[in-house]
Amino acid sequence: MAPRKLTDDEKRKLYRDGFLILRKAVPENMVENARRHLNVHMGAMRGQAMSAKKIDPIRQNAVATVDGTNPVFTDLYNKSGLKALVTSVIGGSLPDAIGAQVASVYPGRHQDSVNEAGYRDGDTPFHGWCGHLDGLWNGAAPVPTIGRPMTRTERRRWYQDPARNGCSRSYEGTGMNITNFTALVGVALSDQRKEGVGNLGLLKGAHLKMGEFFRWQDAQGGPLGPDGPGWPREHSEAPNGHGLRHYPDQLRDAYKQSAEVTPDGRLWPKPTLMKLAPGDAVIVHFATPHSASRVDGPDPRHMIYFRVMSPDRPEDQRRSYSPALTDIWKEWKGMRRTVKEMASA
């Protein structure tokens, strides 16, 4: 039987929204095997921590030690039929995933913790949703606290390259201050069918506006991304004085009709929270701001992510490829007819 491809209606929805939910994309037994593997690992880490009398390695460190290259995770993409669906919109001969990001969010994220936007989590609307694009520098030291300025040493560490996430502030010779891939593909391992359970939040339709913004930056001479035209990297008015703009204020302002406003006048766009059952998947365009939200319920949220890159991207521009920002559908060969149809509608 030939693998399923996305329908024309699904492609139109992906074009409009910047993401597409695929219900029951991964078989139940594969999801359960992956969740069991993750839980066994977490249990083993807890045992080691108790033996070593360490207090808090479980939530903060244990997930980071999960081997994302284990087939129990990569098979969720490679052997479930999900890869064929992604191929139907990106085109070419997509390679198998060789690794996955295991993204778990636990209950008890403290309301006073400070996010990368520079605000307390409890003061950030929509369950603490703090949207971002991937591939952006996020500071080389822990997020600055609220209530006191950084010391000289802290300031020096904060501005170093690369950041905690491995990204640099700029990429010489590329005209870009951001790295990029083609699509983010997520698979739910836990039940996320109601709000407040750590749901992935996505800013619907923002990919189209980001494409317009990147074209505008390019017309101004660049660079593309933070510290380029119209996109100051830091928001010094944030409570911690060093909030990071992980998407430009021009985009934020475009969503003010449905946004909430904090007492300082800051707009917070309302995301679409993904309500996913175990085994559901979501394809997300790279240019769509996204983020997990806070877990207000009793159970952890588990997602597995794959970052997919078009096989047609030039080898010497694998990490930073500006044509895919100024033409956001350039790497989506399977979407060309849909893009032409929707753009002319």
Side-chain angles (χ1 to χ4, degrees):
M1 181 182 297
R4 184 174 97 76
K5 298 180 179 180
L6 294 191
T7 66
D8 288 342
D9 282 345
E10 287 174 322
K11 289 181 180 181
R12 293 185 191 104
K13 187 170 179 59
L14 176 59
Y15 176 89
R16 287 192 303 266
D17 296 345
F19 59 85
L20 179 69
I21 294 175
L22 301 168
R23 301 295 182 190
K24 299 181 179 179
V26 179
E28 182 179 3
N29 67 308
M30 297 180 74
V31 172
E32 290 185 349
N33 288 341
R35 189 166 65 239
R36 183 181 189 282
H37 182 88
L38 177 58
N39 286 333
V40 167
H41 174 83
M42 298 297 284
M45 290 297 295
R46 183 178 186 277
Q48 292 176 24
M50 291 179 69
S51 297
K53 297 183 179 180
K54 294 181 179 178
I55 297 174
D56 190 30
I58 300 171
R59 282 204 298 262
Q60 294 184 6
N61 301 324
V63 172
T65 67
V66 177
D67 182 6
T69 67
N70 191 299
V72 76
F73 298 126
T74 56
D75 283 355
L76 298 172
Y77 176 82
N78 296 335
K79 296 185 178 181
S80 66
L82 186 53
K83 177 185 169 185
L85 291 172
V86 177
T87 300
S88 74
V89 285
I90 293 179
S93 179
L94 290 180
D96 280 351
I98 59 173
Q101 176 192 357
V102 180
S104 296
V105 182
Y106 282 81
R109 196 166 93 189
H110 202 279
Q111 297 269 331
D112 286 335
S113 64
V114 182
N115 57 41
E116 291 182 0
Y119 287 74
R120 288 186 176 89
D121 188 68
D123 296 333
T124 304
F126 308 117
H127 304 284
W129 187 79
C130 191
H132 64 270
L133 294 182
D134 280 342
L136 295 176
W137 181 92
N138 70 342
V143 175
T145 59
I146 293 173
R148 68 168 178 82
M150 287 192 285
T151 66
R152 184 178 299 178
T153 299
E154 289 172 334
R155 188 178 182 86
R156 185 174 63 250
R157 288 182 59 206
W158 172 249
Y159 286 113
Q160 288 178 345
D161 281 325
R164 290 168 293 132
N165 61 2
C167 294
S168 296
R169 281 177 290 179
S170 64
Y171 295 90
E172 187 175 353
T174 67
M176 297 173 62
N177 295 339
I178 182 174
T179 64
N180 59 327
F181 47 90
T182 307
L184 179 69
V185 179
V187 177
L189 295 189
S190 60
D191 191 346
Q192 302 160 44
R193 286 176 288 184
K194 61 182 180 180
E195 291 188 10
V197 295
N199 314 69
L200 171 67
L202 302 167
L203 204 51
K204 182 183 287 189
H207 62 307
L208 300 174
K209 300 179 189 301
M210 279 305 312
E212 293 172 1
F213 182 82
F214 283 129
R215 289 193 293 275
W216 176 81
Q217 280 194 314
D218 189 51
Q220 305 307 304
L224 307 184
D227 291 337
W231 191 349
R233 185 184 301 274
E234 284 195 332
H235 179 220
S236 60
E237 295 80 14
N240 76 345
H242 295 275
L244 293 173
R245 290 181 173 91
H246 284 326
Y247 57 93
D249 283 348
Q250 182 175 318
L251 178 63
R252 183 183 293 263
D253 293 342
Y255 286 82
K256 61 184 174 184
Q257 186 171 357
S258 60
E260 286 195 12
V261 182
T262 43
D264 63 350
R266 188 69 164 157
L267 284 170
W268 296 90
K270 182 179 181 179
T272 300
L273 297 177
M274 298 293 97
K275 296 178 180 179
L276 306 175
D280 289 348
V282 59
I283 301 174
V284 185
H285 192 289
F286 168 83
T288 302
H290 61 277
S291 175
S293 54
R294 190 175 57 243
V295 174
D296 294 324
D299 300 312
R301 182 222 73 170
H302 299 302
M303 289 285 292
I304 305 297
Y305 288 114
F306 303 92
R307 287 167 172 80
V308 182
M309 186 181 295
S310 167
D312 297 331
R313 181 175 292 196
E315 191 61 37
D316 62 346
Q317 299 176 65
R318 299 288 287 175
R319 186 166 190 181
S320 297
Y321 185 49
S322 62
L325 297 184
T326 54
D327 177 2
I328 64 168
W329 297 109
K330 182 178 179 63
E331 297 190 301
W332 299 72
K333 292 196 300 186
M335 288 284 290
R336 286 178 181 170
R337 187 177 68 178
T338 303
V339 170
K340 184 177 180 180
E341 171 197 334
M342 299 295 286
S344 61

